[in-house]
Amino acid sequence: MEQVFQAPDCVWRQALLAATKGDLPHAPEGVISLGAVFRLALTVDEGRHASTKHAYPLRSNFLRSRVDAWIDRVSLARSAYETLRANANGENENAPKKRLQALGAELKHAQEDLTAFFDECEACLIVGTYLASEHASCADYLVFALAHGLARSKICGKDLLEKRPGLCRWLSTISASCGTVKSAFGVDEAYLSSTLGSLEGGKDWCVEAPKPPAKPKKEQQQGKKKDKKDKKGGQSNFASLAALSSVSAAQADDEPAADKKPAADKKPAGDKKPAGKEKPAAAAAGGAKAEEEEDPVKKAKKDRKKAEKEAKKAKMLAKKAKREAEEAAKKAKGASGGKSKKEKKAEEAAAKKRKQLEEEEATLRFLDSQPKGSKKKIDEVKIQSYSPRIVEHSWYAWWEKEGFFTANNKHTKGKTFTIVIPPPNVTGTLHLGHALTDSIEDTIVRWKRMSGYEALWVPGTDHAGIATQTVVEKKLMREKGLTRHDLGREKFLEEVHAFARDKKSTILNQIRRLGSSVDWTRERFTMDDDLQLAVKEAFCRMFEKGLIYRDARLVNWCCHLNTALSDIEVDYIDVPGRTMLSVPGHDDQVEFGCITSFAYPLEDGSGEIVVATTRIETMLGDTAVAVHPKDPRYTHLHGKFLKHPVNGRRIPIITDAILVDMEFGTGAVKITPAHDPNDFATGQRHNLEFINVFDDNGLLNGNGTGQFEGMKRFVARTKIVEFLQEKGLFRGKADNEMRLGLCSRSKDVIEPMLKPQWWVNCKEMGADAVNVVRNGELKIVPKDYEKTWFFWMENIRDWCISRQLWWGHRIPAFYVQVEGDEEGGIPGRNSEKKDRWVVGRTEEEAMANAKAKFPGKEIKLIQDEDVLDTWFSSGLFPFSSFKWPRETDDLKAFFPTQLLETGHDILFFWVARMVMMSRCLMGVLPFKEVFLHAMVRDAHGRKMSKSLGNVIDPLDVIRGITLEGLHKTLMGGNLDPKEVEKAKEGQKQDYPEGIEECGTDALRFALVAYTSQGRDVNLDVKRVVGYRHWCNKLFNALRYAMMNLGEAYVAPDEIRPQDLSLSCKWILSRLNQAIASTVKAMDEYQFTQATTAIYAFWQYDLCDVFIELVKPVMASGSDAEKKATRDTLWACLEVGLRLLHPFMPFLTEELWQRLPKNADYAKEFPSITIAPYPKCAEEFVDQSLVDRMAYSGVVVNKIRSLRATYGLVSNKQQPDVFLLCEPESKAKLDGLESYVATLSVSGSVRCVTDAKEIPEGCGVAPVDSGVVAYVVLTGLVDPEGEIKRLEKKLKECEAGRQKLEKRMSLPEYAKTPDKFKAEDNEKIANFKSEEANLAQAVDGFRAMLAKPKEQKQQQAEKGGKPEPKPSKEEAAPEPKAAESEEAPRPRAESSGFLKVGEKMVMKGDVKKKSTGFFSLTSQARTLVLTDAPRLLYMEGTETRGEFGRVLSCTMKSDSAFVIKSDQKERIIETPDAKAWTEAIAKHYKL
């Protein structure tokens, strides 16, 4: 694999955890099911195209790691289960039984998981050849990984596969795609071959269950029946995990199955017991017998292993003692005043950090000293690395001052784009959910503005009636000990206005810090005078149309806040059964989740009817008992009456087939019309009396409540039960699952109450809202939410718009009191008369309407104390923002708007009401499209909640914050002290080190990149930190470009494709493809795709490839090549920054301003915010070249992988590479060899078609069927080791081919479809081609080994010594022309290794240790230093190696020194370390 997955807590993991809950609801915490992994793999189209080379390894590696983790977990659980089971079978009383049971349950879950996994695979293979598509892909790769792991770990038997014919067929055909899987995922051929061998061979795959150790007779007898049953039923090996024996996993892996004996025949590893304990006689006898019969050969082998183990242990102890001595010496040195290397390094890093911070602070002080709104002086701001504080400084104030965001209602652009912000509530500060909304909307608005639209984004805030009033009331009580009634309405409203102004200022500053390009000249607040005028106008117009009316209906009443609530302000909890809950205003907890039965006696005393209720206190308001008309049990009672036991009220027995279910309970239902929605409808159908028994505070009033008058409703609940028991009418209680509604603000239990309120008739408006979506006038994105829209609007109920609050838009309705009329009723009470209400935009208009209604009478007006629901004023926001009802220029130019972007959670509560009110009052839709983004959750998928401590201020992510700072954000709010402590714990777990400074750009890009349609956003702050590092990469890329462009660089007026090199043509093709992909994704609101396209261009194409290809040109290219490359680089940066700007406004402005630009261009577009958005130039798109470069990228990855295999990790090691190509593949790579060499860190790359042109001693790696890479390894690797590795691989390849040929030779193979036959033939050809390549590589390494021996033999025959041949990097400089013709002469004292005129300075025996790629070894050597200078090490008379350019030579200790060259590092152990160090330093002039 070319990449390694490094983010285990990413969104994929959360998706898998969520899916696992559905698969295995009882699985342990954190466990991920194989089925979840498999289903995610099916959605991953990875490895099929070379162009996806940058994307596929990441998720595939992640999924592969989940499979490996599953196998490891099951293997560990099995091993632990075996050990504990062995202890339990050995009658060990200390065996942890609970742990044994837990492990058994875990293995059972694993069995169910694996079985379900294979069933899913089987289902996918019913109609398809492969699991996910027409080609082998990620899913096939994962099943291979699982199969190989199961085979290796011996977890299950092949019986699971034999029962599934689809999987068997898949195993026989998947071999044809080995090449595809291998090339796509970098899998070794041996891996696939061993997997196929394990599955088809049977022995390694189908393993017999280990037998249990000897048991007592009683246990043996009890187990006989179960053993017979298992044999008869053909129990699978996986199922037998529940009865595993004490045979360890190590024994199962080391010994062949055929050689295994029952545990009773072997001596237990731990048969010795402490003194005082007797071991069972049977076990002792068995152990003695095993000892007597032990094989002498096995005993000798065991003794040898034991001796080796003890020697190894002694060696480790010696090393440990030495290490401890060295550490003690270091500590002693530190105590005496010296500092360790690590401490010095830490101090240097800290000093560097301090210096950087000091420079940043100085720069910030300079920027702060500049006039606010002035353009940042780029030339005077010198920063060496990316700093969000400096980069983001000054730009927004300049943008705002220059009016770049101010829309012109007299524009001539021809196209307008308008959007209004979902106004945040002034109850506090913005959280990450608001940041997501602003990031998405600003990205869209900036994109539209740059695309030539007159773009207007209207900012605003919402007064949030009930929410703000609740917060201010709590604040008053906490700070002053006052209630709103203590202050009075006017004084209280002054307090609320002051609070709202403060919070509004904070919110607007947050919007600025997020970079939102809103038009501040049009900022609105829903309590502004203009918007209050719009609210009054809307109410009066809708009242005049008959859409608003007054009626007494049931509402959601909060007794704690004394107000009606909308449905969105009610939270529901599930109560499974009897549960005690705390209720505001009650000292004791209250019981919920139970149903109470009691009897109503008949009026004539002839019997009773038993009814049941979950709210026994409401029986005081019962006005009927309903039975089903066809219920024979109550036919004789129809029309009779019951007697209320508390107040003696006559209660009629009515029949109702709609409400009553004969099969439920007693078949009789008590009716309380004033306190239950179903009973309310029943009461209307039967014209029953509506009796309200509660006042606004939840106390029992005097309407027939008897002795319970004045009690709290839940106190009365227990008292009424006691009363019924005394009267003999109580019939019992039972658990009853229920949903309980709570006020979202106070957490009080909602009480359905009959209240006279103002209502909006929504029937016709709802039907119209359905039609505009069905006929396409209004588009909802994602389309899935249309179903939600239709459900709500087709089942819409009339809307209660009254709120019993002081903060909000006071309802412009007035109650008329006629002088002398004593029966006029009281407004707001059930006694009021609906015909006494009049409305008016002003009190004068209302008085005129009242006089017209009551002519000739003395009247007085009382304005309604209530305010309107917040959603009423919010529903007008798209046009009230433009000062409707006045016909303003803004209203004409910018309404209707084009888009509404908001969260899907308020689709009905806000979006639907805007649509209905705009259609009603304006006659048009308020917008053409609705884009609904997902909810923001934390990294664990939890909803943002202050009590969980996961509500994060976006400014804390932008600026960074310590853990202590996060704790302080919890103070001063409305959290209970216990909730504060809980929230602190949550913060400690999620942010143990606080939050690192990320900057606005990183936060915005992360939020937008997360936005996938229809999915919630599980935001992990670590990912934001990752994008902050990416910002640094972009910053450094521009710094590098500026260095290469030079100070005198002039931006080109045009770039012609014919003047460019292939690399320049390719990067411009990729740039224009990225532009096309981004624009298409933005048009479709596919923000994840847009950010992916931009990120891929900058990261993978520009930084990883093109900038690397620029370096050789800048170093050695011609002037024309350099100019073309500079122009291309400038174009990529300038256009790429404009492409990125809507997502990262601050960084792109900073970098764009630093780029040199044409004077006219810079004058026309002084800021990137108003520069044109890039358009795809088709003339620069060369798909053929893109495909060729993508193919060369596959070759580069393979060469890099091969380098890593051989430990060539240094960029200074640049071996030559030969590519053995088929003609078609060679044509693809023609002209790209130098690019491949640069990107793969190779000396040179040659494409050849004849294997004879390839030198001996190469590493081999097939790229695909058309290309094989050969890396020249002469002098870089060990030939003997490579021969062994390649021969092993060759045998595996031959075995795979022979198996396939054997299968193809079977008679039934003739029935195989031609498609599969062709694939098999292709595979045979691939096998043979690879065998030939491997054989050639083996021959090359053998020739490499044989060549020195031949030279030695030739030298011996001539009477001389062989001369070493140094590697390419270590070779001495070539002699002058006069000396080159003279062959080197061996000298007598030099053993023949010196060159002409060279003298030996030092020679001595040493021990050499490697500290590089190779493992540590200790080998005897002779070190030789010559005056050339040259440094060699020899073994006997043969030179084994030579150091290249020596960079340093330092003392490690009195008996060792360290040599560092440009290729390696060696520790040399010798008593003469000091002399060697001085001599080497002298001759190399170090």
Side-chain angles (χ1 to χ4, degrees), residues 1194-1205:
V1194 176
V1195 176
V1196 168
N1197 286 339
K1198 184 58 65 176
I1199 296 173
R1200 284 179 174 177
S1201 177
L1202 194 59
R1203 285 174 54 91
T1205 301

Side-chain angles (χ1 to χ4, degrees), residues 871-1154:
W871 297 111
F872 189 91
S873 57
S874 299
L876 306 173
F877 197 70
F879 48 95
S880 65
S881 300
F882 301 120
K883 301 183 179 181
W884 178 86
R886 287 177 287 170
E887 291 292 330
T888 63
D889 291 338
D890 277 0
L891 189 66
K892 296 174 183 176
F894 300 116
F895 184 83
T897 66
Q898 279 63 51
L899 174 70
L900 178 79
E901 194 283 332
T902 188
H904 66 76
D905 55 322
I906 53 175
L907 174 62
F908 172 72
F909 301 103
W910 186 41
V911 180
R913 283 164 180 166
M914 283 189 287
V915 170
M916 291 191 299
M917 298 181 80
S918 179
R919 293 279 288 184
C920 173
L921 298 170
M922 304 295 292
V924 295
L925 285 169
F927 29 73
K928 299 175 183 177
E929 291 182 297
V930 178
F931 176 74
L932 302 171
H933 67 247
M935 298 290 292
V936 179
R937 300 181 181 273
D938 67 8
H940 310 291
R942 301 175 303 181
K943 188 177 180 180
M944 296 293 186
S945 168
K946 291 182 180 179
S947 61
L948 293 175
N950 59 2
V951 175
I952 301 298
D953 186 335
L955 296 189
D956 291 338
V957 181
I958 293 171
R959 298 177 302 205
I961 190 172
T962 63
L963 180 60
E964 292 72 18
L966 285 172
H967 290 342
K968 290 180 182 178
T969 61
L970 302 173
M971 301 296 127
N974 297 313
L975 288 181
D976 183 86
K978 291 182 180 179
E979 291 182 323
V980 170
E981 292 305 315
K982 179 183 176 183
K984 284 183 177 181
E985 287 300 318
Q987 290 177 340
K988 286 179 183 178
Q989 292 178 7
D990 290 341
Y991 315 106
E993 304 297 328
I995 299 175
E996 184 179 341
E997 179 191 26
C998 297
T1000 299
D1001 290 316
L1003 175 61
R1004 284 172 55 119
F1005 197 85
L1007 288 169
V1008 177
Y1010 263 112
T1011 305
S1012 179
Q1013 293 183 8
R1015 297 181 181 176
D1016 284 350
V1017 176
N1018 293 347
L1019 181 63
D1020 187 351
V1021 174
K1022 293 178 182 177
R1023 184 169 176 183
V1024 183
V1025 174
Y1027 284 122
R1028 184 244 188 269
H1029 297 321
W1030 189 61
C1031 290
N1032 187 59
K1033 189 176 184 74
L1034 300 183
F1035 187 88
N1036 290 333
L1038 187 111
R1039 285 187 63 212
Y1040 170 81
M1042 294 296 289
M1043 288 189 296
N1044 282 279
L1045 292 178
E1047 294 182 1
Y1049 177 77
V1050 178
D1053 293 328
E1054 65 172 346
I1055 296 177
R1056 299 187 304 174
Q1058 59 268 29
D1059 297 337
L1060 303 178
S1061 64
L1062 287 178
S1063 62
C1064 293
K1065 291 179 180 178
W1066 168 77
I1067 192 63
L1068 292 178
S1069 289
R1070 292 296 299 132
L1071 172 61
N1072 282 279
Q1073 288 179 333
I1075 294 170
S1077 298
T1078 302
V1079 172
K1080 182 176 183 294
M1082 291 294 290
D1083 280 331
E1084 298 172 355
Y1085 305 114
Q1086 296 287 353
F1087 298 105
T1088 301
Q1089 295 178 14
T1091 54
T1092 299
I1094 295 173
Y1095 185 93
F1097 169 74
W1098 276 95
Q1099 179 72 26
Y1100 304 128
D1101 297 329
L1102 186 62
C1103 294
D1104 289 357
V1105 178
F1106 185 67
I1107 287 181
E1108 293 301 318
L1109 298 179
V1110 165
K1111 295 176 182 178
V1113 178
M1114 293 295 106
S1116 58
S1118 65
D1119 291 342
E1121 290 174 335
K1122 289 181 180 179
K1123 183 183 186 310
T1125 302
R1126 287 193 183 104
D1127 290 346
T1128 302
L1129 179 60
W1130 178 88
C1132 288
L1133 293 172
E1134 199 278 334
V1135 177
L1137 288 173
R1138 286 190 280 125
L1139 185 67
L1140 178 60
H1141 174 73
F1143 305 87
M1144 288 185 167
F1146 293 104
L1147 178 61
T1148 51
E1149 182 75 88
E1150 178 85 15
L1151 300 182
W1152 192 77
Q1153 293 289 350
R1154 293 176 182 271

Side-chain angles (χ1 to χ4, degrees), residues 271-554:
D271 58 351
K272 292 184 180 181
K273 293 191 176 182
K277 290 189 178 182
E278 297 180 5
K279 65 182 180 181
K289 184 177 180 181
E291 192 171 0
E292 291 172 3
E293 296 179 358
E294 188 168 12
D295 192 319
V297 177
K298 288 186 177 180
K299 188 174 185 302
K301 183 178 179 182
K302 191 181 295 182
D303 292 341
R304 185 173 70 255
K305 285 185 177 181
K306 185 176 180 181
E308 290 174 355
K309 187 175 182 181
E310 290 177 353
K312 188 176 180 180
K313 185 177 180 182
K315 188 176 180 181
M316 289 176 63
L317 289 173
K319 286 184 178 179
K320 183 179 179 182
K322 183 179 179 181
R323 188 167 59 251
E324 289 176 348
E326 290 177 354
E327 289 176 357
K330 286 181 182 178
K331 287 182 180 179
K333 185 178 179 181
S336 63
K339 293 182 179 179
S340 67
K341 206 172 190 180
K342 187 175 182 180
E343 290 173 335
K344 289 180 180 178
K345 193 173 181 181
E347 285 185 358
E348 290 174 0
K352 186 178 179 181
K353 181 77 172 176
R354 283 195 301 272
K355 184 179 179 181
Q356 182 180 345
L357 289 174
E358 289 172 1
E359 291 175 352
E360 285 188 15
E361 292 298 330
T363 304
L364 289 171
R365 286 194 296 272
F366 167 74
L367 292 172
D368 289 337
S369 67
Q370 302 302 304
K372 186 176 181 180
S374 62
K375 187 175 181 180
K376 185 189 289 188
K377 298 179 180 179
I378 290 292
D379 296 338
E380 299 182 32
V381 179
K382 306 294 184 183
I383 49 177
Q384 299 302 315
S385 61
Y386 173 68
S387 170
R389 293 189 298 167
I390 295 175
V391 167
E392 296 170 11
H393 198 289
S394 304
W395 289 122
Y396 196 91
W398 179 60
W399 292 336
E400 190 175 343
K401 182 181 178 182
E402 293 296 320
F404 293 143
F405 308 151
T406 303
N408 181 4
N409 55 28
K410 303 293 185 182
H411 71 90
T412 58
K413 292 184 178 180
K415 48 185 181 179
T416 304
F417 180 80
T418 311
I419 184 174
V420 297
I421 198 171
N425 296 342
V426 291
T427 51
T429 58
L430 302 186
H431 52 67
L432 287 176
H434 297 104
L436 172 64
T437 301
D438 286 3
S439 298
I440 294 173
E441 292 181 7
D442 191 48
T443 298
I444 297 172
V445 171
R446 287 179 182 269
W447 169 59
K448 289 290 187 179
R449 184 182 293 116
M450 295 176 72
S451 298
Y453 287 79
E454 187 66 26
L456 169 61
W457 184 12
V458 180
T461 47
D462 194 283
H463 67 281
I466 187 171
T468 305
Q469 178 165 317
T470 302
V471 171
V472 175
E473 285 194 76
K474 289 183 178 180
K475 182 174 179 286
L476 276 175
M477 180 56 66
R478 183 175 63 252
E479 296 177 357
K480 300 180 181 180
L482 299 175
T483 67
R484 60 179 166 126
H485 300 286
D486 294 331
L487 290 177
R489 185 164 190 150
E490 296 302 321
K491 291 289 186 183
F492 176 74
L493 289 179
E494 290 177 5
E495 291 283 344
V496 181
H497 274 291
F499 175 85
R501 280 194 299 271
D502 179 60
K503 293 301 180 182
K504 176 184 170 184
S505 175
T506 301
I507 290 171
L508 298 185
N509 285 332
Q510 285 181 302
I511 293 174
R512 285 181 167 90
R513 282 301 304 271
L514 287 168
S516 303
S517 59
V518 298
D519 185 346
W520 291 109
T521 64
R522 294 178 169 90
E523 184 259 321
R524 300 288 183 259
F525 177 47
T526 52
M527 290 296 289
D528 287 345
D529 292 342
D530 289 331
L531 276 73
Q532 292 209 42
L533 178 65
V535 168
K536 291 177 182 178
E537 182 67 26
F539 186 92
C540 293
R541 287 194 188 184
M542 295 178 74
F543 179 84
E544 291 163 1
K545 290 183 177 182
L547 295 175
I548 291 180
Y549 63 93
R550 183 79 172 179
D551 196 9
R553 293 189 174 192
L554 286 183

